[in-house]
Amino acid sequence: MTREATLIPGDGIGPEITEATLQVLGAMGAAFDWDEQFGGMSAVEKAGTPLPNATLDSIRRTGLALKGPLTTPVGGGYRSVTVALRQEFDLYANVRPVKTIVPGGRYEKVDLVIIRENTEGLYVGLDHTFKVGNDPKAVAQAMSVMTRDGCTRICRYAFDYAKTHGRKRVTVVHKANILKATSGLFLETAKIIAKEYEGVIASDDKIVDNAAMQLVINPTQFDVIVTTNLFGDILSDEASGLVGGLGLAPGANIGTKAAIFEAVHGSAPDIAGKGIANPSAQMLAAAMMLDHVGDLGSGTRLRRALETAIVKDGVRTKDLGGNATTAEFARAVARRV
Ligand code: NAI
Ligand code: MG
């Protein structure tokens, strides 16, 4: 049975890693009926806007998307399309698993999941500069907005995820000592939800700076981490570095009406077009998408094939110390599925 899904190849390395992923899905016979759409820089070039209505309409219809990274101008320019999509479809839970695949790296046996609140906090877009005298940017101000409902649903999602995925502990990461209102509300809410799961899922909390250090010193102490938007963004890149880098880190953006799957990394302009990007993160995102639609067998099969290609066959892209191209790696995974 095929299921319709939106495909956004994205910018930079996006089209390369997307093509590699489609090749593997094709080899598996995993059936998505793709509706290809554009977003980000490539959409500006093709449609004159970074987020065309056709892309929104497609996701509204399918409720399911595989998305490549989208370039966001730094400083000025248009707002992040990735963030806009998360807000438009209220994809409140960003689920980012971090697992050791390549042996002999910095850490063996890392297996943690970061669950990041994906719609609130400092990403709500209330970010302004103010003119004083002749200086148009004399003062800059950003506002973080947290709601009790927003905190409740992400914390409940994290504890529920822990329960349904056989996890043991949820660590709440916050900065409630300084951000007493916003991070304070998050921690207060998390503690209420933790009580509901008492005896089923253990829980503790850590201040974000300590959590960042603990991740580097002893990552295997973590199981599920639930945190706010900015901290989750930073900690998930950090955590990917514990297991070989961004090339191996997938993510899911989950809401009640739609879900978008993507790599944690960005469009990697420094290596775009060279055919050397690691498509693993995007492939693992596709595996999460298969899990999401209930095709657990295929998700597991894809993950196993990818691990076998990397570990047994020793086919690795440059970021993992190998010399395989994106296409060679895709062929190796496709052979193993
Ligand atoms: P990045 O994640 O694109 O790259 C960081 C570093 O990791 C670079 O050295 C890159 O070459 C390397 N890298 C990333 N993915 C890789 C892969 N699959 N294989 C091998 N190496 C890989 O972050 P950066 O440079 O800060 O951002 C570039 C652009 O991407 C920006 O416009 C940013 O806004 C956007 N971005 C988009 C995201 C999304 O669409 N979800 C997420 C993060 C950034
Ligand atoms: Mg990020």
Side-chain angles (χ1 to χ4, degrees):
M1 214 182 74
T2 60
R3 174 154 176 190
E4 197 188 13
T6 305
L7 180 70
I8 306 171
D11 299 322
I13 60 171
E16 301 164 51
I17 59 173
T18 299
E19 193 191 315
T21 303
L22 293 186
Q23 188 184 338
V24 169
L25 290 174
M28 291 175 66
F32 289 110
D33 185 8
W34 298 109
D35 177 26
E36 187 170 336
Q37 297 291 340
F38 299 101
M41 213 58 106
S42 44
V44 173
E45 284 153 19
K46 290 195 171 71
T49 164
L51 185 49
N53 281 330
T55 303
L56 292 170
D57 288 343
S58 174
I59 299 173
R60 219 166 270 136
R61 191 180 67 247
T62 62
L64 188 66
L66 181 66
K67 170 190 159 299
L70 306 177
T71 297
T72 308
V74 174
Y78 60 81
R79 274 190 70 204
S80 162
V81 172
T82 300
V83 171
L85 284 170
R86 292 167 183 165
Q87 278 161 356
E88 174 68 27
F89 294 106
D90 202 21
L91 309 175
Y92 66 94
N94 190 350
V95 181
R96 296 180 153 182
V98 177
K99 191 168 179 284
T100 302
I101 294 178
V102 188
R106 285 196 178 85
Y107 299 98
E108 306 293 334
K109 296 191 180 136
V110 173
D111 185 7
L112 60 91
V113 181
I114 295 179
I115 295 183
R116 160 193 180 192
E117 201 294 317
N118 216 16
T119 55
E120 299 195 329
L122 276 163
Y123 287 61
V124 292
L126 299 173
D127 194 42
H128 308 281
T129 50
F130 296 96
K131 185 177 174 191
V132 178
N134 289 329
D135 185 350
K137 294 184 185 174
V139 178
Q141 181 194 48
M143 220 178 300
S144 169
V145 178
M146 306 290 301
T147 64
R148 188 181 295 282
D149 283 351
C151 294
T152 301
R153 67 178 179 172
I154 192 64
C155 290
R156 185 159 282 138
Y157 186 94
F159 279 88
D160 197 53
Y161 179 98
K163 195 175 152 191
T164 53
H165 290 76
R167 300 272 172 173
K168 302 274 181 291
R169 170 182 301 274
V170 173
T171 301
V172 183
V173 174
H174 61 88
K175 189 75 187 178
N177 52 329
I178 304 296
L179 305 170
K180 292 180 195 293
T182 48
S183 232
L185 179 61
F186 185 74
L187 179 59
E188 179 188 308
T189 313
K191 285 185 171 163
I192 294 168
I193 305 296
K195 270 230 147 46
E196 288 177 18
Y197 287 81
E198 217 168 36
V200 181
I201 300 296
S203 169
D204 60 354
D205 73 273
K206 283 192 168 53
I207 295 174
V208 63
D209 25 5
N210 176 35
M213 186 276 290
Q214 296 281 341
L215 267 173
V216 170
I217 293 281
N218 179 17
T220 51
Q221 71 181 290
F222 292 101
D223 194 353
V224 174
I225 289 174
V226 65
T227 191
T228 47
N229 211 334
L230 178 63
F231 299 158
D233 191 357
I234 297 169
L235 292 183
S236 52
D237 268 41
E238 182 194 355
S240 83
L242 305 171
V243 299
L246 284 169
L248 293 172
N253 301 280
I254 310 279
T256 52
K257 295 202 180 75
I260 300 181
F261 298 82
E262 62 181 344
V264 168
H265 62 71
S267 53
D270 52 340
I271 57 167
K274 295 185 178 162
I276 57 168
N278 186 350
S280 297
Q282 193 73 350
M283 290 176 184
L284 292 168
M288 292 179 84
M289 185 164 162
L290 289 165
D291 293 346
H292 180 78
V293 298
D295 194 352
L296 298 183
S298 298
T300 304
R301 219 173 118 208
L302 204 172
R303 276 184 287 267
R304 286 220 181 102
L306 186 141
E307 282 188 37
T308 309
I310 293 176
V311 179
K312 278 221 183 89
D313 303 339
V315 182
R316 295 178 192 182
T317 44
K318 198 166 163 228
D319 55 311
L320 299 181
N323 51 24
T325 62
T326 309
E328 282 161 358
F329 183 76
R331 277 196 292 278
V333 180
R335 259 199 310 276
R336 284 293 184 174
V337 294

